[in-house]
Amino acid sequence: MISEPELDGAWESERPAEAAQDDAVPPRGPARPLRWVAVAVVVTSALWAAGLYAFGDRLRPVGPEVRYAVTDNLCEHFKAPALGRATGGFTDATPHKAGRHPAMDWAACSYGSDRPGGSGGFSAVVLVELHKKSDPGPEFALGSYYERIFGDDVPWEEMPGLGEQALVRASEASDGLQLRVRDGGAVFTVELMFFGSPDEEIGPSATPQARPDQDTLTAAAVEDVRALMAALRKG
């Protein structure tokens, strides 16, 4: 018959081994939840980052729509027939250096004419700017940097039915005309300038040619710009 002390001693000798076994082999129960929690955190973080990237991509500003393309020789597309008829004809055309940039493409062309004796000459300049990153609308009425410094004080007038916005004004300095048209990210600028006095004698038998009035110049400029926009329109 086993006494109670012996029974107690036997149980005591078993306990250290069990305790050592418990220390050597970690319990598996809590490990699985921790591992799955870590996996869930990684997956959630990846999904959150992907969603944030997509959301940020939608918030990234989109450039204005550009429905036109410029060429290196803009004079090939801008013949200015209406302005030529209104002014008596151009004698020369000069394509200016075009440019390509991630933010903007541009091209320019100029026409000129010198009357006999160097009096009463005139020129027409066209500039096309394709803004690909920023919307030109808010600053459209301000004109170019050159216009803001040296321009006259004649106010712009709205010209309906041409692009998204069109402005026209007479040139106080040269009795000419300025026309600006905005359509999406494209800006078309035409300026007609006269030089010398139309009343100055240009020869013993010649008579000075009167300059066209503003309505005639405006109608001619609108016709030529409309044709240019159709020629440069993509698709």
Side-chain angles (χ1 to χ4, degrees), residues 21-162:
Q21 184 177 1
D22 291 342
D23 294 339
V25 181
R28 294 188 179 184
R32 288 182 180 176
L34 289 177
R35 184 171 64 251
W36 284 110
V37 167
V39 172
V41 169
V42 172
V43 173
T44 303
S45 300
L47 292 175
W48 177 82
L52 182 63
Y53 176 82
F55 184 69
D57 190 59
R58 270 186 310 208
L59 290 180
R60 189 175 294 116
V62 179
E65 182 181 4
V66 179
R67 298 180 285 270
Y68 302 88
V70 294
T71 59
D72 292 338
N73 188 351
L74 189 62
C75 293
E76 293 180 349
H77 300 281
F78 185 75
K79 302 295 185 180
L83 283 172
R85 291 191 301 268
T87 56
F90 298 106
T91 58
D92 60 83
T94 305
H96 298 279
K97 183 179 179 181
R100 304 290 185 274
H101 188 274
M104 183 176 67
D105 296 343
W106 67 91
C109 169
S110 63
Y111 286 88
S113 178
D114 288 327
R115 303 261 176 88
S119 174
F122 54 89
S123 68
V125 180
V126 59
L127 171 66
V128 179
E129 300 170 309
L130 305 181
H131 300 258
K132 297 181 287 185
K133 298 295 184 180
S134 59
D135 182 11
E139 295 90 14
F140 176 71
L142 298 178
S144 65
Y145 174 78
Y146 178 85
E147 290 175 288
R148 291 194 294 274
I149 295 179
F150 302 105
D152 51 50
D153 296 328
V154 178
W156 293 100
E157 296 181 10
E158 293 283 346
M159 175 64 60
L162 187 60

Side-chain angles (χ1 to χ4, degrees), residues 131-202:
H131 300 258
K132 297 181 287 185
K133 298 295 184 180
S134 59
D135 182 11
E139 295 90 14
F140 176 71
L142 298 178
S144 65
Y145 174 78
Y146 178 85
E147 290 175 288
R148 291 194 294 274
I149 295 179
F150 302 105
D152 51 50
D153 296 328
V154 178
W156 293 100
E157 296 181 10
E158 293 283 346
M159 175 64 60
L162 187 60
E164 294 182 12
Q165 184 181 10
L167 301 172
V168 65
R169 71 178 178 182
S171 177
E172 186 178 58
S174 62
D175 296 331
L177 180 82
Q178 292 176 318
L179 173 65
R180 291 172 54 81
V181 181
R182 179 180 61 85
D183 192 23
V187 175
F188 302 82
T189 302
V190 174
E191 183 170 3
L192 182 67
M193 296 170 285
F194 291 92
F195 308 100
S197 171
D199 299 326
E200 185 179 347
E201 291 292 337
I202 58 177

